[in-house]
Structure formats: C-alpha cells, structure tokens
Amino acid sequence: MSPIALIPRPQHLDELDEPPFVLGETSTVVVEPRPELIQTGVLTADLFGRLSGRAIEVRYAGAEPAPGAIVLTRTGPVADGGPGADETYQVVVRAGRVEVRSPSVAGLVHGVVTLRQLATVEEGSVRIPAVRIQDAPRFAWRGLSIDVARHFFGVEDLKGVIGLMAHYKLNVLHLHLTDDQGWRLHVPSRPKLTELSSDSAVGGDRGGFYTPGDFAALTEYAAARGIRVVPEIDVPGHVNAALHAYGELTPSGEPTDAYDGIEVGFSRLHADLPATQPFLEAVFTDVAAMTAGEHVHIGGDEVLTMEPEEYARFVALASQVVRAAGKKVVGWQEIAQTPLEPGTVVQYWDTRVDPEPFVRAAREGALLLMSPGSKSYLDMKYDPTFPLGLEWAGHIEVRDSYDWEPTTLVEGVPAESVVGVEAAVWTETLRTVDDLTTMLLPRLAAVAEVAWTPPQARDWADFRTRVAQHGRFWDHLGVAWHRSPQVDWTTRP
C-alpha cells in the first residue's frame, strides 16, 4: 500500500525524499530487554517474518544497530497530550533503519501496524517507503462490541478479530457474554450458568462458553496487541439464560425454558427477590476478578417490564457491586435515566430517544461512549437485499459508518464528556466467522477512523480512495468481506 492508504489517517505524515527501507537478510528487530517490549519485538519479528518469508531475529538495544534494523523504543510520558496521549507514536523510516517510538506498548503496536500498512512486497522484497509520521488518537476509547451470546464465537475466532482491530488501532474489545439465548463465561460461584445455559444459541445452533483460562488467554492475547477486554454481564433484562439455570431468580422459583429466538424485553431479574442480590454479588465479583482492565459492563438495556423505581434501584445495586470489586461501571444508555456515580460510562445506542437524560448525566460527571445504531451497528444490512443482518436501525453502507461526528451526536452534551466511539455487531443472523467479518469489513475501518482522526482531517473521498487498497490485505488474510459498490476496489472479485 502507498502512504496515502493508511487507515486511520495519521495526524502528520511527511514523505521523505529517500529510497525506501528494504527488509533484508540481516534485518533485525531491536528492543530494550524488558518483558513487555520483548513481547512486542517478537510480535513485530513474526509479522514481518511472515510477510518476507524469512525468520527475523529480535536483539536487545545496546550497541548501534546494524543497518536494516527496526528499532522499538519506549519513551517518557507525554505531558498534556490529551486523552490518548499514552498511545502517541512516532515512526521514522529511512533507507537503512526504521525507528518506532512511543510512551506505551500500545503506541508501539500502533507504530508497527502502521509499518505493516505501508509495506509492500515487490519481487519477493518487503519495502517500506521513507516517511516521518507523528500520530495520536482523538479518543481514548475506540472499541468493538461483539455479541457472543446469540451465536458463540470461540477464542481462535476472536483472535482473528483482535488482529483486525489492532490493524485499525482499535483498543477495546467489548464482549456481550450473556443474553436470553446463552451464558458464555464460566463463573466459579455459579457453575450452573454454563452447565445448563451455555449450549444453546439462536435457531437451535450449538453454543459454547469460555473457561476462566480461555478468558485469561484471550485477555493476554489482546493486551499484547494494545487492546483491553471489557466483559458485559447484561442485567436486569436479557437474562433468560440465567433464569433457566437458577430458578430461584424467578418469582415462581421455577427455572424458565431455554430460548433460541431473537425477541427482546421479555425476561428480567427482580430486585426484591432474596436470591437476586447474592447472585449479582457472586457473578460480578467473579467477573471482576477475571478482568484485567478497569471496566465491567452491567448492560441495563431493553428492560421493558420493570417500573422506573425498581430499575433505578437495580442499576444502583449492580453498580455498587462492580465498584466494590474494584472496577468502573459501563452500561447501555438506559442507565442514564438513573442517578450515576461520576466517571460511569454510558453507552449511547438509540438516537431516537430524548437527549435530556444524557445531557443531565454528562453534567453530573458521566462519560458518553458513542455507539449509534444508525452508524456503528455493523450487523445492520448494507442494503435491503443483503442476505445477512437486521434493519431496525436502517441500512448502513460504508459512507454511513464514516460520515458522522461523535461530539455533536447528542445535542447539549459537551465534547469533553465523550470518552470515545464503539462499533457493535449483534449476531442474531451471523453464524460463522465469514458472516462476522463480512459485516465488519469494510465498515469497521470507517468507524476506526472516526474514533482516531479529528473531523477536520477526515474526508470521505480521501477515505474511499484509501480503503479501496485494503481489500488486498483482507484477501491476503483470507477473511470474507463485502465489496461495497461505494468503493472502487483495487482487487478483483
């Protein structure tokens, strides 16, 4: 790819009047001998080794690197650099040497994937054009939410998605782990959740779940690529899987039947049942203990049969349990109708509702995460004839996912209250990894640029030209993607 094909578009890019860097037989990756940097060095060597077809050695910093080195250096913190300052990175590519510098491992990863996007293979030789790049993200939260409850995707499937996320500098993987159709994370204190409610999925398909070991391995894999995992346990609605496993959570004391449909709003917990608070305390405490990051998502959406007073008490209780376990609270936009602690993240998804609760929540210290269904719900059909997806939020083509501004989405919410942007993909109709990536690509690249690049540097015509070159990379990976008619792709079907 050429430099202009970088996604997200960087803040500053200067093409240097020099020959390109050519990855040679003596090329090495050079890092300081610190565990987290060694890991990043190994990932870099593996990435370019696979691209070049030859093994690349990782060496420790010390003596002057030999020509042909890719040098990764961790710098000091950036003062007053904005919400994403620790992810700032610099890349300088010259004929004999590449330097990537950042105050964080995540920033180094961003620099490395920038190099990967710049790299071309010509006559068996990997070349990177001579450039100088200075870059930093606009928002600190740049996420993708994946519903693994309605259809289950295993660890290896998610590792592939994490690779795509890292390629486009997304840094939060939000997993919707529980719903009416299935419970996908083993909770040691409530083992029947996975014993009885993990093997179902929409349409009678096979389910599955993650063990604590699976979840830890996934978290570690994501962290090495600059991505943190946010688990979601959706309460007090979307809970039929929990009610099926533990009948004491129902007013009758009887467990519900398993459910494999796609309707919403019919199941809920009850704040005043004796079993409810111990259940919340056990589940969220266990989930928090498995979570390396600082956030746990409590859900809170589409509770259609609960009175506002009970709902507010329930949100307060779930939030209290999460905070007591040492984590910060995230919830869907409905929680903005209740009193919230400052710093709570409210995930905005339905643009059809009254903005007043969000304005009030922001005024009282809440942060808004922008996931508008009409722009960033990537399970929506591309057009009315598309065979996958739903269309309750409309049809979303690539330009729809690109042409919107997060800080003006909710009138009256100040820009500084917007913590970031998150795409979401719900899996009612998505059964395979090919289904999943077809809905993600190319729209995920569009949302990633909205999350990273300030509005004055974004332009649809320019993005359309750049993303046209990324189909070759997706083909190289062997992933399925949608050839949107809005883009003149440079790769043939």
Side-chain angles (χ1 to χ4, degrees):
M1 295 181 187
S2 69
I4 61 169
L6 289 174
I7 297 175
R9 184 178 180 179
Q11 284 187 354
H12 303 286
L13 184 151
D14 298 315
E15 297 185 62
L16 305 180
D17 188 18
E18 298 183 20
F21 173 87
V22 180
L23 199 69
E25 293 184 3
T26 61
S27 291
T28 59
V29 175
V30 179
V31 298
E32 297 174 53
R34 294 153 61 179
E36 71 278 12
L37 298 183
I38 293 171
Q39 183 179 44
T40 306
V42 170
L43 287 172
T44 305
D46 178 66
L47 179 68
F48 285 97
R50 283 186 281 113
L51 193 61
S52 65
R54 66 172 69 95
I56 296 177
E57 185 179 352
V58 178
R59 294 183 178 176
Y60 294 156
E64 181 67 19
I70 299 174
V71 183
L72 310 180
T73 304
R74 192 162 180 181
T75 63
V78 177
D80 301 323
D86 64 329
E87 296 180 79
T88 297
Y89 72 92
Q90 299 172 319
V91 167
V92 179
V93 180
R94 297 189 180 278
R97 175 176 171 137
V98 173
E99 294 187 3
V100 181
R101 301 169 64 86
S102 175
S104 69
V105 168
L108 291 176
V109 172
H110 299 331
V112 170
V113 298
T114 294
L115 295 176
R116 175 62 186 89
Q117 288 195 26
L118 289 166
T120 59
V121 181
E122 302 174 16
E123 299 179 352
S125 177
V126 177
R127 297 171 179 266
I128 304 175
V131 294
R132 179 183 291 107
I133 295 171
Q134 176 75 40
D135 202 8
R138 181 186 185 194
F139 292 112
W141 188 308
R142 306 177 308 281
L144 171 63
S145 173
I146 303 180
D147 166 23
V148 295
R150 292 181 176 90
H151 277 106
F152 180 69
F153 292 87
V155 171
E156 293 305 313
D157 298 334
L158 292 183
K159 283 181 177 179
V161 175
I162 287 169
L164 290 172
M165 292 176 64
H167 194 72
Y168 295 108
K169 301 184 176 71
L170 298 171
N171 67 347
V172 177
L173 173 60
H174 164 191
L175 292 178
H176 182 77
L177 293 164
T178 69
D179 213 297
D180 293 312
Q181 298 82 359
W183 190 284
R184 306 303 183 202
L185 180 64
H186 180 71
V187 178
S189 63
R190 291 294 187 274
K192 288 197 293 183
L193 290 167
T194 47
E195 289 173 8
L196 300 179
S197 292
S198 68
D199 200 34
S200 52
V202 166
D205 289 348
R206 184 72 181 268
F209 69 94
Y210 311 111
T211 67
D214 291 335
F215 192 72
L218 188 68
T219 298
E220 183 178 352
Y221 186 89
R225 290 153 181 81
I227 295 168
R228 59 187 184 271
V229 177
V230 174
E232 179 189 347
I233 304 298
D234 200 351
V235 294
H238 291 275
V239 291
N240 191 75
L243 305 182
H244 177 63
Y246 287 96
E248 61 266 34
L249 296 172
T250 69
S252 69
E254 295 297 321
T256 59
D257 294 332
Y259 181 71
D260 64 4
I262 64 170
E263 296 302 318
V264 300
F266 62 89
S267 65
R268 73 175 181 100
L269 296 172
H270 294 261
D272 296 325
L273 283 180
T276 298
Q277 182 168 340
F279 176 81
L280 294 178
E281 291 172 344
V283 168
F284 280 115
T285 300
D286 279 356
V287 171
M290 288 186 265
T291 302
E294 60 182 2
H295 289 94
V296 169
H297 202 301
I298 64 171
D301 60 317
E302 296 177 319
V303 191
L304 306 183
T305 60
M306 182 178 280
E307 292 298 319
E309 185 274 335
E310 184 184 2
Y311 178 77
R313 285 192 290 122
F314 201 102
V315 169
L317 175 59
S319 299
Q320 176 186 341
V321 171
V322 169
R323 289 193 299 270
K327 303 298 179 182
K328 297 179 181 178
V329 175
V330 191
W332 294 107
Q333 69 181 35
E334 287 88 338
I335 70 169
Q337 301 169 34
T338 74
L340 299 173
E341 290 284 325
T344 300
V345 176
V346 175
Q347 189 163 4
Y348 177 78
W349 64 275
D350 188 350
T351 60
R352 302 166 296 184
V353 301
D354 181 3
E356 192 278 331
F358 312 111
V359 176
R360 184 182 65 251
R363 188 186 311 123
E364 294 173 355
L367 302 171
L368 266 73
L369 176 61
M370 296 307 189
S371 298
S374 58
K375 302 293 184 180
S376 67
Y377 269 31
L378 304 187
D379 57 298
M380 293 296 107
K381 291 177 177 288
Y382 287 92
D383 61 62
T385 65
F386 204 74
L388 299 172
L390 302 176
E391 49 194 341
W392 64 263
H395 305 118
I396 302 178
E397 254 292 357
V398 185
R399 186 167 187 172
D400 299 309
S401 289
Y402 188 81
D403 272 345
W404 62 285
E405 170 48 38
T407 62
T408 60
L409 197 61
V410 183
E411 185 176 357
V413 169
E416 59 270 21
S417 295
V418 177
V419 71
V421 171
E422 187 169 285
V425 59
W426 304 94
T427 61
E428 288 96 335
T429 70
L430 311 182
R431 306 174 68 184
T432 68
V433 173
D434 282 355
D435 291 346
L436 183 62
T437 58
T438 296
M439 300 306 275
L440 292 178
L441 300 173
R443 294 180 296 187
L444 187 66
V447 176
E449 183 150 306
V450 172
W452 181 279
T453 306
Q456 65 271 19
R458 288 194 281 115
D459 176 78
W460 163 249
D462 177 57
F463 175 81
R464 178 179 178 272
T465 301
R466 283 180 285 125
V467 78
Q469 300 189 48
H470 284 242
R472 292 181 299 197
F473 173 68
W474 304 330
D475 286 343
H476 174 76
L477 292 180
V479 300
W481 56 281
H482 172 55
R483 300 180 65 86
S484 167
Q486 293 186 337
V487 177
D488 296 326
W489 300 100
T490 60
T491 179
R492 294 181 178 181

